[in-house]
Amino acid sequence: MAKVAAWLMVFLFFWEHYSSVVCLSEFTRDDFPADFVFGAGTSAFQYEGAWAEDGKSPSIWDTFTHEGWVGGRTADMASDGYHKYKGDIKLMSDTGLEAYRLSISWPRLLPNGRGAVNPKGLMYYNNVIDELIKHGIQPHVTLHHLDVPQVLQDEYGGWLSPKIIDDFKELADVCFKEFGDRVSYWTTMNEPNINSLASFDYGFFPPRRCSHPYGANCSGGNSAVEPYITVHNYILAHSAAAELYRKKYQTIQKGQIGINIYTIWFTPLTNSTEDAMATKRALDFILGWILNPILFGEYPDSMKKNAGSRLPFFSYLESQRVKGSCDFIGINYYFALYVADDPVIDKIGPRDSSSDMFAKFTAYKNVPPVSRILPPTALINDFESLWKLLNYLKKTYRNPPIFVHENGYGFGVIDTMNDVGRTYFLSGFIRSVLDSIRNGVDVRGYFIWTFVDAFELLSGYSTRFGLYHVNFEGSGHERTPKFSAYWYHNFLKNGTSIKIENNGKQWESARSE
Ligand code: BGC
């Protein structure tokens, strides 16, 4: 018996290690399942522009940028997608995109936040969806990505109030009714976790709410409780929309509905038990905050324990509704961090949701900085981190269907047409996805962020993620393919293989670009 146990241990050890290092050095599109989709994405606020055209009302991001919080840059024109979508969809088709991830601008479709539908807004999204279908590109639509109508912010404080749940459900209803005959993949919302932190804890996203010592320049707020309240409202709004879809539309329209979350992979800084536990807490506070309720009906125990009464609770009925309210989860992945235990945090006074983790974060080393909102020092490390994240999701959340909704590289002024570094970055992560699929993770699609250069949240036009360069200075906002657009095209259309030689070397050349 002891012998069997010993062999089992040896087997498990090798299996864990072998499966985590096995990777394909060369692969093609055909190595992925035929129904797996490759795409790219944008969001309405960052792409469309036309901020006050054809009946659209302002969003909180229009107000924020007009107040000068992004160095005087606004998304008034952004990538001018509102006028250039046809040409862009042609480019998508030429590139070989199988799917496109877009979001609906709530204040364009429902300028009063509820009630009357703006016919021009409706026409715009109908045109975009029709054009995508005409080109054989699957639309993957997110109902809400950042742009809360300013009217709802003024009326009741936006995501701070449970009143938003009904209004969000109404937005969802309009979208399912009007577009659901052609849209099969619905995501209710983008990154409720990070939006709540950025908007209501650190206060650097609109509506700029925070409290000392967790943010500066805020107009008001309470970092200790508001992030928890807003996420709670996001989750209830998600489940209301999902329930509506399932009851009223899904049988006829045969689509799927999911939610998107912001992810970070966390690794313990040392192999101490304390750091391992801190890492688990960090995963709970960032991923479990949304995924535990959505999949299991409750917040993670570590959150309940550390946030105590500041964390709202789900009634029995709410919990039943929220549980299982998605057909897939969407993840946005950009970087990994080391985590160390931080037992002294509670000496600093009122805690926010980050300090409730009792953890310190350190950036991975030796790789180029990626422009991110949180934290400013974050660095990307190895591509395996996405593999680890996907496998963690499989193990912890019973292998849900997953779409990698965003993965991309934001270059600052050094972004050039010759963006070879971006292709190294993307190649490594695409390989991680393939390795995960081979390891039984149910990943169904991968989207590059972004298709064309777009307005970046806190840096305007100086950080670019696009496969296509946009000439923001020129009146025509001309598009020019970067090297990465050709590279993606060759991978998707010409069967060209992606070769992964040596991460270290690749990063070296990416950095010297
Ligand atoms: C957001 C995008 C943003 C990207 C790069 C993501 O978390 O969903 O809107 O442009 O990060 O910062």
Side-chain angles (χ1 to χ4, degrees), residues 46 145 190-191 262 332 334 372 406 449 456-457 465:
Q46 296 172 274
H145 189 138
N190 187 66
E191 302 180 344
Y262 184 82
N332 296 348
Y334 291 89
R372 290 294 319 135
E406 286 183 25
W449 186 259
E456 180 46 29
L457 305 181
F465 282 83

Side-chain angles (χ1 to χ4, degrees), residues 316-328:
Y316 175 76
L317 271 183
E318 284 170 345
S319 164
Q320 291 305 305
R321 270 201 205 126
V322 163
K323 186 176 173 177
S325 59
C326 65
D327 301 319
F328 64 84

Side-chain angles (χ1 to χ4, degrees), residues 50-58 82 107-112 118-121:
W51 80 283
E53 224 173 296
D54 288 346
K56 177 183 168 293
S57 70
Y82 189 70
R108 188 181 300 289
L109 196 60
L110 298 174
N112 303 320
N118 172 15
K120 295 251 173 86

Side-chain angles (χ1 to χ4, degrees), residues 56-75:
K56 177 183 168 293
S57 70
S59 75
I60 56 171
W61 272 88
D62 293 317
T63 310
F64 175 74
T65 48
H66 288 179
E67 285 170 359
W69 294 100
V70 185
R73 297 296 207 156
T74 69

Side-chain angles (χ1 to χ4, degrees), residues 210-215 223 350:
C210 62
S211 57
H212 183 75
Y214 298 108
S223 302

Side-chain angles (χ1 to χ4, degrees), residues 429-440:
F429 284 118
I430 293 176
R431 184 199 67 191
S432 275
V433 172
L434 179 55
D435 291 342
S436 311
I437 295 174
R438 299 210 160 171
N439 201 38

